[in-house]
Amino acid sequence: MHRVKVRVVEDALDANNTIARANRDDFDRHDVTVVNLMSAPGAGKTTLLERVLDGFGDVRAGVLEGDVQGSYDADRLASLHVPVTQLNTDPGFGGECHLDANMVRSALPALPLEKIDLLVIENVGNLVCPAEFRVGEDARIMVSSVTEGEDKPLKYPLMFRTCELVLVNKIDLLPHLDFDMDAFLHNLDAVHPDVPRMLVSARTGEGVEAWRDWLTGLPARREVAV
Amino acid sequence: MHRVKVRVVEDALDANNTIARANRDDFDRHDVTVVNLMSAPGAGKTTLLERVLDGFGDVRAGVLEGDVQGSYDADRLASLHVPVTQLNTDPGFGGECHLDANMVRSALPALPLEKIDLLVIENVGNLVCPAEFRVGEDARIMVSSVTEGEDKPLKYPLMFRTCELVLVNKIDLLPHLDFDMDAFLHNLDAVHPDVPRMLVSARTGEGVEAWRDWLTGLPARREVAV
């Protein structure tokens, strides 16, 4: 019984990787760099996006919003005049808890790939399953809020291990929390040594410029890597 | 393809419900009341448990700790001298993002059911899938932290709809947030009208006594219901 289950799961992940590669080929063909933005619910992904996309400069951005249902985040981003596409996961298993490559593939026809340089895919708020499913992205960014506690890298190691950048958000609240930043960074290094990290506040804007530079430089850095 | 997927999922949920009923029968046989405690990662479930179980009175409590991996939360609760059993989900699908009835069933032999009156099952931090899987509980409690924003009931409606009590945690941070409590409660009532709710702070202890009364009164209320 157990062996059958494992085999099925491996097949599912293998199929996902196949479709992720197809997505990646399509993104490459349109010269679009893709970021997969992940976090727990309420860590501040959308507010950070509102901040960072305002004044984004020459790099033309687009957003694919993943949610179980509703379009609250997409509506918030609409005022920024960047193309926003909503992807709801609720036709799946009572609401899928993550985006997978096939869901992103189903959204491709709705994405204006010829008009953007950078696509940010805002994943469903969840620290477990999104880490399992590549969707064709060039880079993964993980947002961890200081209100969530220092132990999160140890409790959700795969998520912290498979990302290229960690944003430590809500640092404006540090004076009001018992959060130990050194302990958090120690835990982060334990699961992903030396992963780039930035301390940011979506509320005050602190650290957002550094993140904007990282994001807008991504297409050029990818060009070099390719 | 889509039809096949839906059929398989329905079967999986049906099997889960069958096992949940078997768990419930075992809990009933031992006269144990069971609470399923759910929230997003970092909403404060464990800290609230530390607070509420300290000075719990005549009702003998036990805890089943669900985590993807590690035993950080169980270790924290060990000092309270209540029986704590750890259940890790990582042998599953890269770390299951929720507890299901069969996982809880596998933990039954390790639970001292004859020595407790109330079992609190701390679920994996996740606002999507735990809501799908009954595990044999009498009541579901959902913790929502004010740092997560007012929109969470609208974005994760199933979780807020299927619980008997909502704890709104971290209210000590309200002076430092742009959180609109009226808007949150309005959104909560939109998806689950009149669900009991308590405003609490795990950090200061505010509201915890009311929650303790609710919890310790649960076995007696269940008796009346049965």
Side-chain angles (χ1 to χ4, degrees):
Chain A
M1 181 74 174
H2 181 67
R3 287 179 56 178
V4 172
K5 188 178 177 193
V6 171
R7 199 177 305 139
V8 169
V9 166
E10 284 175 347
D11 283 351
L13 286 179
D14 190 53
N16 185 75
N17 286 336
T18 301
I19 302 171
R21 278 190 296 273
N23 291 349
R24 183 64 182 269
D25 288 344
D26 284 348
F27 293 136
D28 282 348
R29 201 163 18 250
H30 290 88
D31 212 13
V32 174
T33 305
V34 179
V35 166
N36 186 354
L37 185 64
M38 304 183 290
S39 81
K45 293 186 297 301
T46 311
T47 312
L48 278 170
L49 272 183
E50 287 179 298
R51 278 276 185 180
V52 82
L53 293 178
D54 194 17
F56 209 59
D58 292 339
V59 175
R60 299 167 304 165
V63 177
L64 178 61
E65 268 299 331
D67 281 304
V68 177
Q69 56 176 262
S71 61
Y72 309 101
D73 294 343
D75 295 345
R76 285 169 60 187
L77 294 170
S79 63
L80 291 171
H81 305 295
V82 297
V84 178
T85 306
Q86 179 73 51
L87 185 56
N88 284 134
T89 70
D90 62 348
F93 177 35
E96 292 279 357
C97 61
H98 59 275
L99 294 179
D100 66 24
N102 203 34
M103 294 181 218
V104 170
R105 189 142 197 88
S106 73
L108 288 189
L111 292 171
L113 294 181
E114 67 290 346
K115 293 181 183 159
I116 61 176
D117 307 304
L118 179 77
L119 176 68
V120 179
I121 300 177
E122 186 177 338
N123 217 311
V124 178
N126 180 353
L127 290 186
V128 188
C129 300
E132 295 285 324
F133 292 88
R134 296 269 160 193
V135 296
E137 68 272 45
D138 295 277
R140 297 176 142 202
I141 301 176
M142 220 244 113
V143 182
S144 190
S145 160
V146 294
T147 57
E148 296 166 24
E150 303 92 353
D151 58 350
K152 292 303 161 290
L154 302 178
K155 294 185 67 179
Y156 303 93
L158 187 66
M159 175 63 75
F160 285 86
R161 196 174 282 140
T162 61
C163 60
E164 277 72 39
L165 176 67
V166 174
L167 299 178
V168 187
N169 191 25
K170 307 195 189 181
I171 58 169
D172 56 290
L173 292 175
L174 283 174
H176 315 294
L177 301 173
D178 304 317
F179 184 84
D180 180 341
M181 183 67 80
D182 287 341
F184 174 83
L185 295 176
H186 178 82
N187 291 339
L188 178 59
D189 281 326
V191 302
H192 195 167
D194 300 324
V195 59
R197 75 279 320 255
M198 293 179 180
L199 310 190
V200 300
S201 166
R203 197 182 184 208
T204 67
E206 190 178 345
V208 170
E209 197 177 333
W211 182 37
R212 190 182 293 123
D213 290 344
W214 192 97
L215 272 180
T216 54
L218 201 54
R221 292 201 300 282
R222 175 171 160 273
E223 201 95 338
V224 172
V226 172
Chain B
M1 178 81 172
H2 181 67
R3 286 178 58 177
V4 172
K5 188 177 177 194
V6 170
R7 200 177 305 140
V8 169
V9 165
E10 283 176 348
D11 283 351
L13 286 178
D14 190 51
N16 184 75
N17 286 336
T18 301
I19 301 170
R21 277 191 295 272
N23 291 349
R24 183 64 183 269
D25 287 344
D26 284 350
F27 293 135
D28 282 348
R29 201 162 20 248
H30 290 88
D31 213 13
V32 174
T33 305
V34 180
V35 165
N36 186 354
L37 185 63
M38 305 184 288
S39 80
K45 292 187 297 301
T46 310
T47 312
L48 278 170
L49 272 182
E50 287 179 298
R51 279 277 185 180
V52 83
L53 293 178
D54 196 16
F56 210 59
D58 292 339
V59 176
R60 301 167 303 166
V63 177
L64 179 61
E65 267 297 333
D67 281 304
V68 176
Q69 56 176 264
S71 61
Y72 310 100
D73 293 343
D75 297 345
R76 285 170 60 187
L77 294 171
S79 65
L80 291 171
H81 306 294
V82 298
V84 178
T85 306
Q86 179 73 52
L87 185 56
N88 284 133
T89 69
D90 62 350
F93 177 35
E96 293 279 358
C97 63
H98 58 276
L99 295 179
D100 66 24
N102 203 34
M103 296 181 216
V104 170
R105 189 143 197 87
S106 72
L108 287 189
L111 292 171
L113 294 181
E114 67 291 345
K115 293 181 183 158
I116 60 176
D117 308 305
L118 179 78
L119 176 69
V120 179
I121 301 177
E122 186 179 337
N123 217 310
V124 178
N126 181 351
L127 291 186
V128 187
C129 299
E132 294 286 323
F133 293 88
R134 295 269 160 193
V135 295
E137 69 271 43
D138 296 278
R140 298 176 139 200
I141 301 177
M142 220 245 115
V143 182
S144 190
S145 159
V146 293
T147 58
E148 295 165 24
E150 303 91 353
D151 58 351
K152 292 302 161 292
L154 301 179
K155 292 185 70 178
Y156 303 92
L158 187 65
M159 174 64 75
F160 286 86
R161 196 174 284 141
T162 61
C163 60
E164 276 72 39
L165 176 67
V166 174
L167 298 178
V168 187
N169 192 23
K170 306 195 189 180
I171 58 170
D172 55 291
L173 292 175
L174 283 175
H176 314 294
L177 301 172
D178 304 316
F179 184 83
D180 181 341
M181 183 67 80
D182 287 340
F184 174 84
L185 296 176
H186 178 82
N187 291 339
L188 178 60
D189 281 325
V191 302
H192 195 166
D194 300 323
V195 59
R197 75 278 321 256
M198 293 181 180
L199 310 190
V200 300
S201 165
R203 197 182 185 210
T204 67
E206 189 177 346
V208 170
E209 197 179 331
W211 183 37
R212 190 183 292 121
D213 290 344
W214 193 96
L215 273 180
T216 54
L218 202 52
R221 291 202 300 280
R222 175 171 159 271
E223 203 94 337
V224 173
V226 171

